[in-house]
Amino acid sequence: MTESLRPQLDHVVINVAEQLNHSEQQFRRLGFYLTARGHHSLGSSNHLAIFGENYLELLGYEPGNAHTRTDLWQAPLGLTGLVWKTQNSAAVYQHLQNHNIAGSPPAEFFRPVALNDGTSPNARFRTVPLAADRVPNGRSFFCHHLTPELVWRNEWQHHPNGVADITGFVISAADPQAAARVYGELFGAEALQSVADGVILRAGRAAVRFVTPKQATAEFGIVPEGDGGSARMVGLEFATRSLEAVRNSLRVGEIPFNDLTRLVLVRAADALGVALAFREE
């Protein structure tokens, strides 16, 4: 593994398409502090939940912008983006080409950010995608933050539910080893760890887990499934500073949850098609 391709989760993307208003309300009810709606130069819009090492993005479009970034809206609603950190997008693209898993060349775009001082500087990004045909039902790409100080800001990192970071990203597939293979090609086979219920890829504080649909259902209840057993991104796991803060947020938001003493679960049906698990750090 080269330093620029060390696996580290940057952020996750939940595709909400035209449901930006509903998704914002739902994730606030789940206890997340969300940034004000941002608008990309490419036409999409978002809300972010910023944590310590990574963040969650609710990505969609406002009325009149359905014609922009149509490749994104063809994906199913729910968890569709697994995004890696990089500070060397050119080296990443070369690496992807060398391993025949490259998508399009690096692309740069921006999003004005409203700050508390009344200014609106542009947060700028450069992304490098993996080949689309290697990531069914979603996308995986590298994100080079050219202005990270406009993303990881202290005033956005305090959540009513106490969440500090995303610690797990769950992919369900009939063949977990096959679903993980592209990431072995990307980061090296040694990055993948075979376990009893699938495959694990450590990615900074987070772990990407590849499990069977049976295992995903056993852990989270009913979750989305990919056609023909294809890989589908189905769940997120969070570290919280206080499970009681999670419980309180869910009660206030009138979100049903399963309380397992050291684990709080929210059904996919109550979180935009994404199962959520909270553990105290």
Side-chain angles (χ1 to χ4, degrees), residues 113-160:
V113 177
L115 300 181
N116 291 340
D117 63 4
T119 63
S120 296
N122 287 332
R124 295 183 295 117
F125 318 88
R126 189 177 300 128
T127 58
V128 190
L130 276 66
D133 61 0
R134 298 299 304 274
V135 187
N137 303 307
R139 301 178 294 146
S140 186
F141 59 94
F142 287 81
C143 186
H144 184 174
H145 290 270
L146 304 176
T147 53
E149 71 280 3
L150 296 178
V151 177
W152 280 274
R153 298 185 65 82
N154 180 66
E155 62 264 36
W156 300 333
Q157 292 175 304
H158 304 282
H159 302 273

Side-chain angles (χ1 to χ4, degrees), residues 212-278:
T212 63
K214 180 179 179 180
Q215 179 66 28
T217 301
E219 292 188 36
F220 300 108
I222 298 173
V223 293
E225 291 191 26
D227 293 340
S230 61
R232 183 74 187 265
M233 304 169 185
V234 298
L236 294 173
E237 298 168 322
F238 299 92
T240 176
R241 298 182 178 90
S242 166
L243 273 179
E244 193 55 35
V246 172
R247 297 182 186 103
N248 288 340
S249 291
L250 296 174
R251 291 184 188 114
V252 170
E254 299 183 334
I255 302 290
F257 61 93
N258 191 3
D259 194 343
L260 302 176
T261 307
R262 295 185 179 181
L263 171 69
V264 171
L265 293 174
V266 174
R267 300 179 307 164
D270 294 309
L272 308 180
V274 186
L276 307 181
F278 302 86

